[in-house]
Amino acid sequence: MKDAAPQTIHLKDYTPFGYRIDSVELTFKLHPTATRVISKIAFAPNPAASDTRFFLHGEELELISAAIDGAPVTPRKVEGGIEADVPDAPFVWEAEVEISPETNTALEGLYMSNGMYSTQCEAEGFRKITFYPDRPDVMAVFTVRIEGDQPVLLSNGNPVERGDGVAVWHDPWPKPSYLFALVAGELINHPDSFTTKSGKEVELNIWVRPGDEDKCAFGMEALKKSMKWDEDTYGREYDLDIFNIVAVDDFNMGAMENKGLNIFNSSCVLASKETSTDANFERIEGIIAHEYFHNWTGNRITCRDWFQLCLKEGLTVYRDQMFSGDMRSHAVKRIEEVMILRARQFREDNGPLAHPVRPESFVEINNFYTATVYEKGAEIIGMLRRLIGDEAYRKGCDLYFDRHDGEAVTIEDWLASFEEVTGRDLAQFKQWYSQAGTPRLKMSEAWDDGTLTLSFTQTTPPTPGQTAKNPQVIPIAVGLIGPNGDEVVPTTVLEMTEAEQSFTFEGLGARPVASVLRDFSAPVILEREIDDATRAFLLAHDTDPFQTWEMGRMLAKDTLIAMIVRDAAPAPAYLDAIRAVLTDETQDPAFRALVFGLPSQDDLAQTLFDAGITPDPQKIYDARESLRHTVARHLSDALPTLFRPTEPGTFTPDAEGSGRRSLSLAALSYLALLDGGAAATSLFAQADNMTEQAGALQALLSAGLGTNELQTFETQWKDDRLVLDKWFTMQVASAAPEKAAEVAEALSHHPAFTNKNPNRFRAVFGALSANHAGFHHDSGRAYKLLADQLIRLDSLNPQITARMSGAFETWKRYDADRQGMIRTELERILATPNLSRDTTEMVSRILSA
Ligand code: PHE
Ligand code: ZN
C-alpha cells in the first residue's frame, strides 16, 4: 500500500458512504504476534448515497476468511483495502483477520506497550484492526468480546459480561471507528464515583501499571471537576454507567477520547508532588478535562470527515481553556494561551506549513493535528462568543447539541446554530476557517477636541496555495484610560469587517490612552506605533492583565532587538518597569513571574526576520544571556526576597502554590548567576517536590553549574520513566549552543534512551530543536543529527517522525549557509527508500517554501 504514489484527499470530493451499519460485533483473541479479530457487521444500503461501491479500509491485515450472509467470499484487494459485491438489501459481513500487536511500533491500531495491549484509532488506525469503513461519518453501535488471559480487559461502553479470560462490552451510543478502544493487561485501578445532576451514579476508574497507583488521585479529582463543570457550564451530562481512563507509556499524542475508555499518555495523567512539576499538574488537569469534554464535542456529535477536525478540536480546546481558567486564574491562563499560540501557531502560519483551520486537502491526516487546527480553532470559538455574547453563545451550543446529537457534522452545521439563535449572517466570519495566515492589524490614532478616532487596516500575507486574502471579521476589544490612570471607557468590542475601518469615541474630556486588543480578543498581530512612555503607562494602569503583560513583553523585546541589532545597552525603561511589577506585592505572583519571563529566541528570530534582518542565532543567544545577567545585577537586592521556597510538607498543586513557586524559581534562576549557585544547590537538596527540585537543577544548569546535582538526579530517578525524561530534556535544553548537538548525541547512546518511546525521543530531540541557538549552530551538526534520527525513526514511527520534521519549518528565515545545510538534510530525508507517506508529505511541504 505504501508503494503507490500518495494520494491527495480533497474536501470538495466528499461523498457519503453507500451503506449504513446497524450493528458491529467484534471478537478479539489476543496474542502478541497473532491476534485474531473476528467481525460481524450488519450493513444496509444508505438511501442518501449515490455511490454504492462496497469498499472497506484495511491495512497490514492478514485476511483469514470472509463471508456475506454466511456464504464465504473472496474480496478483491484494492488500494488501501478491499472491495466486494454485495446485495442491494441489508446483509451481514463477517471476517476474520490476524494482526501482530507486538511488532506494531507505529502505535496506531492495536499495539503493545510494556506487555499491555492498547489501541489508538484516531484518525485512521481502526483499519489496522479489521476491514471496516474507517471514516467518521459511519457511526455504529459496537459490542466487543475480548478473550485473553490478562486480568483486566476493557473496551468502550458498559460491561455486560465478565468471566475467566473473557469480557464483553457494549456501547449503546453509535460511534465512528476512530473512537473504538481496547485495553488488556495487568492493571491496577484507582476507583471513585460521580453522581450526575440527574442522579445517575457513574463508576470512575483510572487504570495504571502496578507501582503507579499512588499517582492517580490528582487526575481523579480533575475528572470529577470536569464532569461537574460540563454540567454547570454547558448542561452536558455523562451518558454511560462507567468511565475508564488508562495510562499508557508508549503513546504518540497526549491522550485520546475513546468513548467511555480514554487512553492517556502516562505523562498526561500520572501525578504526584515528588515526580510532577506544577506545569505537569496544570497540563494534566487540562488534558483530563479536554478528553472528558470530547464526550459531547466529538463523540456524541462527531465530524463528517477529517477536514472538519477543528469542529471537535477547536471547540474542545476552547472548552478546556475556559475550564482551566475557572479552576485557576483566567488572567494567567489567557497569557499562557497567547504565549503558546504565538510560539506554535503563529510560527506555523508564517511558514511553509501554513494551512487553514479547515484544510482543503491532505495526503496524511495525521499531519493536520496542528496548532492551527487546535489553538487557532479555539480562538475562533472565542471570537464567535465575543461577537454574539455569552447568552447567545450558550443558546447556540444548546441548539447544536439538540439538533445534531448522534450525527457526524460540518462547520456549516455548527455555525448555522449560531446564525439561527442570533439572526446574524456568519458568512464572512466563516472565513476564519478557510483563510490561512495571521492577519496584521495596523492601528493609528487621531485626537480632535474630545473625539478619539482609532483607525485600523488589516492585511494577511500570502500562504502556500492562497495568495489573495479577504478582510476578516475581527473583534477588537478596546478600553480607554484617562491621563490620571482611571479607566474612562471600559472594554468595548469593536467589530471590524472591512480592510480599512475607523471607530470613534466621542465626548471625552482629555485625551486618553487606548488599550487595544484586550484579552487578546483576536488571533492577529497588532502593529501600533507606541512609545516607551505610553507602554509604561499602560503597564502601570491598564485594567486588563493581558495588556499589562503585553506591554512588559514589548519592552523586553525592543530591548533585546536593540541589543542584537545595535549592540545597545539594556533599556533602563525596561529594567525599571520589571522592577516595579516584580516588587509589587499586591499583584498575583504567577502574573509577576510571567512578566519576568524573557521572549524566546525563536520569537526574536521571527521578529528580526519580519523586520528584514536575517537572524543570527548565536547573537540572539548572547544578547539574551547578557540581558539575563544585567537583570540579575539590577535586581540583586530584590531577588533574595522573591526567592521563597515552599515550606517542606506544605506543597499543594493549586494555582496559588504554583504561582508562588513560579515567581520564586524565576528569581532563583537569576540568583544563580550571582551567588555561584548557593541558593539553588541548597533548594535542590531540600526540596520535597519535583517543581522545586527540577527548578533548582534548571537554575544551576542555566548558570553553567549543576554537574553533581545532575548525577544525583539520575541516580534518584533512574527507575521513573517520566522523571527521567525531564533529566534528558534539561541537559539538552540548557546546553550551550556549541554543545547542544554533542549533548543530544551522547544522550542518544545512553542505555535508557530508546526511539520506540515517543516521550523519550521527544525528551532528547524535541529539546534539541527547541534549543534555538544549539539547533541552528553554524556547524550544522544539530541539523544532521536530527535528520539521522528522523531517518532511523521513520520506519518505526512515521507519525512522530513527520511531526518532528516541523523543527525545520522556519528554515527560510536564516542565512544562505544555514538554508543550504538544512536543504541538504531535508533532501536526504526525502531520498530515504520507503519513506512514510507522513514524512514525505511534511518534508515536501517544508521544502516547497
Ligand atoms: N483526539 C486527541 C485529542 O485531541 C488527539 C489525538 C489525535 C490522539 C490522534 C491520538 C491520535 O484529544
Ligand atoms: Zn482533542
Side-chain angles (χ1 to χ4, degrees):
M1 69 218 74
K2 274 176 186 160
D3 338 321
Q7 289 212 329
T8 302
I9 322 280
H10 296 273
L11 166 59
K12 63 173 169 32
D13 293 343
Y14 173 82
T15 51
F17 186 53
Y19 302 84
R20 62 182 164 82
I21 296 183
D22 292 328
S23 67
V24 177
E25 287 171 39
L26 300 175
T27 299
F28 287 80
K29 299 184 176 179
L30 297 175
H31 184 282
T33 54
T35 289
R36 288 289 172 101
V37 185
I38 299 154
S39 58
K40 185 174 179 189
I41 308 170
F43 284 100
N46 176 2
S50 51
D51 181 0
T52 59
R53 183 168 85 118
F54 185 70
F55 168 77
L56 302 179
H57 293 101
E59 277 178 26
E60 292 163 43
L61 303 173
E62 191 191 330
L63 181 62
I64 306 296
S65 66
I68 291 175
D69 286 334
V73 293
T74 308
R76 295 181 293 278
K77 281 197 180 132
V78 294
E79 169 74 20
I82 53 172
E83 267 178 19
D85 300 320
V86 298
D88 185 17
F91 63 93
V92 174
W93 161 267
E94 287 170 282
E96 179 162 354
V97 302
E98 190 172 297
I99 53 179
S100 171
E102 196 174 84
T103 52
N104 180 352
T105 56
L107 312 180
E108 247 183 17
L110 178 66
Y111 65 93
M112 297 195 77
S113 169
N114 294 318
M116 135 189 186
Y117 291 85
S118 181
T119 54
Q120 175 51 47
C121 293
E122 187 178 5
E124 301 182 331
F126 192 74
R127 62 191 63 182
K128 293 180 168 182
I129 292 176
T130 191
F131 290 103
Y132 198 81
D134 189 15
R135 37 188 290 169
D137 58 343
V138 176
M139 299 174 83
V141 171
F142 281 63
T143 306
V144 177
R145 178 183 171 89
I146 311 169
E147 298 175 17
D149 50 20
Q150 291 70 21
V152 177
L153 304 170
L154 307 172
S155 190
N156 316 89
N158 298 317
V160 291
E161 192 186 316
R162 179 71 242 226
D164 207 20
V166 54
V168 179
W169 292 80
H170 176 76
D171 181 0
W173 300 104
K175 68 167 173 293
S177 51
Y178 83 85
L179 291 174
F180 167 81
L182 177 153
V183 168
E186 197 193 322
L187 295 163
I188 299 192
N189 73 329
H190 176 99
D192 208 322
S193 71
F194 180 83
T195 306
T196 68
K197 63 174 179 173
S198 68
K200 211 176 79 169
E201 173 133 338
V202 181
E203 176 186 334
L204 310 176
N205 292 301
I206 297 182
W207 298 91
V208 296
R209 277 166 55 188
D212 285 335
E213 52 283 17
D214 55 343
K215 296 181 185 155
C216 301
F218 179 80
M220 184 58 85
E221 287 313 305
L223 174 60
K224 289 189 287 182
K225 286 185 204 165
S226 307
M227 296 178 85
K228 178 81 169 61
W229 187 89
D230 215 15
E231 291 183 348
D232 294 346
T233 317
Y234 280 83
R236 300 292 114 199
E237 205 175 324
Y238 188 62
D239 54 3
L240 291 166
D241 305 337
I242 184 166
F243 187 77
N244 285 314
I245 286 178
V246 180
V248 183
D249 285 326
D250 302 287
F251 199 79
N252 286 341
M253 305 280 275
M256 179 63 212
E257 70 264 25
N258 317 297
K259 184 77 188 191
L261 177 54
N262 288 3
I263 298 181
F264 275 64
N265 186 323
S266 52
S267 72
C268 296
V269 54
L270 299 181
S272 75
K273 81 171 198 308
E274 290 78 17
T275 58
S276 312
T277 62
D278 288 322
N280 294 145
F281 280 107
E282 184 177 332
R283 180 164 149 82
I284 288 166
E285 186 175 79
I287 296 196
I288 293 212
H290 180 97
E291 306 311 331
Y292 176 74
F293 297 157
H294 266 315
N295 192 53
W296 275 94
T297 50
N299 300 3
R300 286 286 284 262
I301 304 177
T302 194
C303 305
R304 186 193 71 175
D305 53 69
W306 290 119
F307 296 103
Q308 320 295 328
L309 183 58
C310 63
L311 176 78
K312 73 176 178 81
E313 295 305 346
L315 176 55
T316 305
V317 170
Y318 178 73
R319 276 153 50 73
D320 84 55
Q321 290 174 343
M322 291 302 116
F323 166 80
S324 297
D326 282 352
M327 296 301 119
R328 291 163 180 261
S329 143
H330 281 283
V332 168
K333 249 316 260 183
R334 186 60 184 148
I335 294 166
E336 290 172 352
E337 284 158 21
V338 175
M339 287 169 67
I340 290 172
L341 186 79
R342 284 174 169 158
R344 308 215 189 111
Q345 201 278 322
F346 282 20
R347 172 177 147 130
E348 186 165 71
D349 244 356
N350 255 314
L353 299 177
H355 56 275
V357 171
R358 180 166 68 177
E360 249 117 62
S361 69
F362 60 75
V363 172
E364 171 53 64
I365 184 58
N366 283 337
N367 290 335
F368 286 85
Y369 286 76
T370 59
T372 297
V373 170
Y374 276 65
E375 268 75 38
K376 189 174 178 181
E379 292 299 317
I380 298 179
I381 311 291
M383 285 190 287
L384 174 66
R385 182 170 179 171
R386 273 198 171 85
L387 290 168
I388 67 176
D390 292 352
E391 210 178 300
Y393 173 74
R394 174 63 199 268
K395 267 199 192 144
C397 287
D398 287 349
L399 178 61
Y400 171 75
F401 290 127
D402 232 46
R403 181 179 281 172
H404 296 295
D405 190 10
E407 293 178 8
V409 304
T410 61
I411 290 302
E412 282 73 14
D413 296 318
W414 161 256
L415 289 178
S417 297
F418 295 91
E419 290 191 315
E420 192 161 319
V421 299
T422 61
R424 284 176 71 122
D425 176 357
L426 294 173
Q428 190 190 0
F429 182 77
K430 200 176 114 182
Q431 287 190 127
W432 279 105
Y433 289 97
S434 56
Q435 195 159 286
T438 308
R440 274 34 173 196
L441 189 62
K442 246 201 184 85
M443 182 188 116
S444 60
E445 310 176 39
W447 170 254
D448 179 31
D449 195 22
T451 299
L452 181 73
T453 304
L454 302 182
S455 302
F456 297 92
T457 60
Q458 55 163 309
T459 49
T460 302
T463 53
Q466 271 187 358
T467 41
K469 306 281 183 180
N470 299 318
Q472 313 249 68
V473 183
I474 303 180
I476 309 169
V478 173
L480 302 181
I481 318 270
N484 65 353
D486 290 345
E487 187 165 78
V488 290
V489 174
T491 305
T492 325
V493 177
L494 311 176
E495 191 175 328
M496 182 174 187
T497 55
E498 314 281 324
E500 295 183 21
Q501 212 167 336
S502 295
F503 301 87
T504 56
F505 294 87
E506 286 161 10
L508 299 164
R511 180 168 185 164
V513 174
S515 159
V516 183
L517 210 64
R518 282 187 160 180
D519 203 35
F520 203 63
S521 60
V524 300
I525 295 172
L526 178 65
E527 292 169 2
R528 167 186 191 186
E529 292 290 335
I530 179 167
D531 55 27
D532 280 359
T534 312
R535 280 182 189 153
F537 177 84
L538 286 174
L539 183 59
H541 300 292
D542 205 321
T543 56
D544 182 65
F546 165 75
Q547 278 302 323
T548 319
W549 171 79
E550 179 80 336
M551 293 305 123
R553 188 191 73 100
M554 286 168 76
L555 283 169
K557 215 161 154 175
D558 281 5
T559 295
L560 279 161
I561 297 290
M563 291 170 73
I564 295 162
V565 181
R566 297 188 273 110
D567 283 321
Y574 169 66
L575 297 172
D576 293 345
I578 53 164
R579 169 182 287 275
V581 175
L582 280 178
T583 53
D584 180 355
E585 298 276 336
T586 64
Q587 302 234 46
D588 177 7
F591 173 77
R592 286 148 71 199
L594 285 169
V595 177
F596 211 176
L598 294 179
S600 72
Q601 297 170 60
D602 190 71
D603 185 2
L604 294 164
Q606 182 67 38
T607 306
L608 289 166
F609 178 77
D610 289 341
I613 302 161
T614 303
D616 176 344
Q618 182 70 43
K619 251 189 150 167
I620 295 174
Y621 175 86
D622 291 341
R624 213 168 164 278
E625 282 306 293
S626 155
L627 183 58
R628 284 196 340 114
H629 281 87
T630 307
V631 169
R633 283 191 305 272
H634 184 78
L635 295 173
S636 59
D637 57 325
L639 292 173
T641 20
L642 291 170
F643 170 58
R644 286 174 209 166
T646 305
E647 284 294 320
T650 65
F651 179 96
T652 48
D654 52 14
E656 207 258 307
S658 135
R660 260 190 288 111
R661 278 182 294 276
S662 66
L663 181 58
S664 165
L665 290 171
L668 180 65
S669 77
Y670 285 98
L671 212 45
L673 300 173
L674 302 175
D675 73 352
T681 306
S682 90
L683 179 64
F684 180 83
Q686 285 160 25
D688 69 348
N689 63 84
M690 182 50 64
T691 308
E692 290 182 315
Q693 191 185 13
L697 181 53
Q698 194 101 59
L700 289 169
L701 294 173
S702 61
L705 308 161
T707 319
N708 292 336
E709 285 74 12
L710 206 48
Q711 206 143 53
T712 310
F713 193 91
E714 182 188 11
T715 312
Q716 185 183 351
W717 296 114
K718 62 181 183 324
D719 297 324
D720 189 303
R721 293 176 72 164
L722 298 174
V723 180
L724 204 58
D725 286 337
K726 300 184 198 302
W727 179 82
F728 276 98
T729 297
M730 277 191 274
Q731 294 175 72
V732 183
S734 61
E738 68 284 3
K739 281 276 196 291
E742 199 181 308
V743 169
E745 170 142 39
L747 287 173
S748 74
H749 300 299
H750 188 282
F753 180 82
T754 166
N755 62 1
K756 294 214 173 104
N757 177 253
N759 292 357
R760 187 58 48 83
F761 187 83
R762 271 191 291 257
V764 175
F765 292 101
L768 179 62
S769 55
N771 180 332
H772 185 263
F775 185 57
H776 294 287
H777 187 258
D778 61 13
S779 63
R781 193 168 160 187
Y783 300 151
K784 184 167 179 314
L785 176 63
L786 182 64
D788 286 344
Q789 291 289 336
L790 293 180
I791 289 169
R792 220 168 297 158
L793 184 64
D794 188 66
S795 58
L796 297 172
N797 190 327
Q799 204 178 321
I800 300 291
T801 311
R803 188 166 284 272
M804 299 231 359
S805 68
F808 293 110
E809 76 181 315
T810 55
W811 68 299
K812 286 286 169 158
R813 280 180 195 160
Y814 301 96
D815 53 86
D817 279 357
R818 286 185 172 84
Q819 287 194 27
M821 291 189 286
I822 295 176
R823 176 184 288 281
T824 302
E825 299 308 332
L826 290 171
E827 285 172 347
R828 188 160 68 90
I829 297 172
L830 209 52
T832 307
N834 302 316
L835 192 72
S836 66
R837 180 175 55 204
D838 310 51
T839 308
T840 305
E841 180 186 27
M842 287 293 274
V843 174
S844 315
R845 283 167 64 206
I846 296 171
L847 266 172
S848 74

